[in-house]
Amino acid sequence: MDDLRLALLLNAVSPAVGGVLVRGEKGTAKSTAVRALAALMPPVEAVPGCRFSCDPHRLDPACPDGPHEAGPGESRPARMVELPVGASEDRLVGSLDIERALAEGVKAFEPGLLAQAHRGVLYVDEVNLLQDFLIDSLLDAAAMGVVHIEREGVSVRHSSRFLLVGTMNPEEGELRPQLLDRFGLTVEVAASRETGERMEVVRRRLAYEEDPAAFAARWAGEESGLRERIAAARALLPEVRLGDTALRQIAATCAAFEVDGMRADIVMARTATALAAWAGRTDVVAEDVRRAALLALPHRRRRNPFDAPGLDEDKLDETLRRSGGAGDGTDDDPDPDGPDGGDGGGDGDGQPPQDGPQGPAEAPEPSEPSLPGQSRDGEGAGPEQSGEQEGGQGGEQAPARADEPFRARALHVPGVGEGAAGRRSRARTAQGRITGARRPRGALSRLHLAATVRAAAPHQRARGRSGPGLLVRREDLREAVREGRESNLVLFVVDASGSMAARRRMGAVKGAVLSLLLDAYQRRDKVGLISFRGSGAEVALPPTSSVDAAAARLESLPTGGRTPLAAGLLKARDVLRTERLRDPSRRPLLVAVTDGRATGGPQPVPRARQAARLLAADGTASVVIDCESGPVRLGLAGALAADLGGPAVTLEELRADTVTGLVRSLQAPGRTHRTTRENTDRNTGRRAA
């Protein structure tokens, strides 16, 4: 909480820092702390009557309410504008004033939230759940400080410079990297584990609920002192000097931690300057740079969605020490004797690099006892050789590490849905290209102006129109039909049985699932994870927007035992049935990761095929990732795919160009069924021969 308080105050001192992203678990007063910032912000002087809060001392010649005449402004409190997660794009950026357009026949612009937030604070609670089309508009405004609106015949440009503050719970999913980088600072918030602090929190909360006015009066003096200190720091800020030593430390730190681009350097410089002003100093010192790095760099260190944000403080201290000396900058060079020095790229102990292209994913595993009937690397074991694990209970093995993820080809749900906006399957959404118009179903939400005018125009004489306005009745209204992309529920059903337990093989399987999880993150999907092994199946992760939570559960997934394939499929059907009740518009995609063998429970093969047909009868789109390996392949995954009504794809095809036909096969299930059955029959014929 101290870091959160400091980050918010630094942005109040210097809005150029770029805002704050507050990450933390639920119930930690993130929103309460952010909303308290508005009362501490200095007042704003604006042009009287201007809807866009123009500064009277720096008039905007392009203001839609202008041109303004020079003169004194009016002082008002700084605004904190909240952007709801479910807001429309028109509400965010503004739109044509439909009422005036239809009643008066004039084009008038109605400002949105970005206009209201100009020279104030724009707060987004649960910012990680914000729809992509809102994020795109927010990114444009945050980057340019200007909003451009081109729609319904309206062309408007206005200034929009605001302090962006967002709160989020990482368990519900991560932010897109572009928006993440727009936040100047980030802080991680967690509830205190100190008994005394927790007691004080409860006391204050109860005191506030009992008498809010008295509680506010109790802290009015401290808040007043805080406002005065912010004002004093703002006044001192132009006098703060960022010397070459501090600037060298900033540049060296950003280079050492390999952050992308130059925004981190600029944010660190502004933050360090604000820290000095907050402390009442006119020189930036090393401690200011250190604290600025801890606030500005953690969220810029992520290389993929599964990396936890953070900073190695020992490395930070060493970098600051080495770059803190004055001179020509030669002390910024890497130590030639250190791990980054030299020209050979060795491992730092004076030994030459090992021959061969092996990376971490291909490094040999520590010696382990082999499974009965299984070779050391887990390859080439036929059905007879692996039967002891399948037929018996099998010992549970330590979780295998996932291979390096790769770029997986896109999987789509066939047809056109109406789910939440995303990037996977075709859907009728609030955003996207206009494909037509229709009569509104219920309340009008997206007016198709041209279609409405065309519907009303033939009736104007009969309705007695005599002025410039258009006489429009309810039956004339038309709403736009748009087609874009939706997000889906991607439910992974992973075989963790003994037949999948070979270390190298399970590592490849986990790498493939991890690659699909990365794809789901980029397409804004919800994901769920079911594993089956031993005597049953379990929901390792209920459907959630947190893809990194799914990756963590996948990494710790144990293996071994029988293959209760039917139990896994039936568990998936139960989960999907529940999710249809919770979110009926989100279409599911079932991804079964298995070699197709079924050995657990009574009559394992017939029950597995029956469960697959039940899922197909429910209309669930499915894909089978065939994990069978070795020279002898039984083709059981293909038979499972035929029963599910979807294609079967090998691990190799998942990352190869040959999977291009997968999307087509999903959209032509009848052809897929025939092809899969033909392949299965061919394999069966070979075995019989």
Side-chain angles (χ1 to χ4, degrees), residues 332-408:
D332 289 344
D333 293 337
D335 183 357
D337 297 327
D340 296 330
D343 57 359
D347 58 5
D349 59 0
Q351 298 296 325
Q354 297 295 321
D355 293 334
Q358 282 189 340
E362 291 80 23
E365 294 283 348
S367 178
E368 300 177 3
S370 299
L371 294 173
Q374 184 181 43
S375 62
R376 179 61 56 95
D377 62 1
E379 299 292 339
E384 296 85 0
Q385 294 172 310
S386 60
E388 60 286 348
Q389 279 288 7
E390 295 289 295
Q393 292 300 317
E396 180 176 314
Q397 301 186 18
R401 293 189 60 183
D403 287 358
E404 285 296 315
F406 51 84
R407 184 174 181 83

Side-chain angles (χ1 to χ4, degrees), residues 1 168 198 255 376 459 469 488 564:
M1 297 303 293
M168 59 174 284
R198 296 177 74 97
R376 179 61 56 95
H459 309 291
N488 299 108

Side-chain angles (χ1 to χ4, degrees), residues 239-328:
E239 302 176 21
V240 176
R241 174 181 175 273
L242 182 66
D244 287 345
T245 299
L247 191 54
R248 183 184 300 110
Q249 289 178 321
I250 290 171
T253 300
C254 293
F257 284 98
E258 300 178 351
V259 296
D260 295 331
M262 296 297 297
R263 185 173 285 116
D265 305 62
I266 297 171
V267 170
M268 272 189 66
R270 290 171 174 167
T271 305
T273 303
L275 279 163
W278 180 248
R281 288 183 274 101
T282 56
D283 285 304
V284 176
V285 298
E287 182 58 25
D288 296 331
V289 176
R290 186 181 190 278
R291 298 190 77 176
L294 292 174
L295 292 172
L297 296 187
H299 61 303
R300 294 183 167 91
R301 288 276 298 141
R302 289 169 63 96
R303 287 293 178 265
N304 65 64
F306 308 140
D307 291 339
L311 217 60
D312 184 341
E313 295 194 32
D314 291 337
K315 181 179 179 180
L316 173 61
D317 291 336
E318 176 63 18
T319 302
L320 293 175
R321 184 191 64 79
R322 293 178 55 191
S323 59
D328 59 0

Side-chain angles (χ1 to χ4, degrees), residues 97-142:
D97 190 329
I98 299 296
E99 183 177 351
R100 293 191 61 189
L102 295 179
E104 303 174 22
V106 298
K107 292 191 294 186
F109 179 69
E110 185 176 359
L113 296 177
L114 290 177
Q116 296 180 29
H118 180 43
R119 304 176 66 203
V121 180
L122 182 63
Y123 171 48
V124 188
D125 192 15
E126 306 294 351
V127 64
N128 52 325
L129 303 182
L130 207 61
Q131 297 288 353
D132 277 354
F133 61 88
L134 295 180
I135 289 179
D136 293 338
S137 300
L138 202 57
L139 283 172
D140 289 341

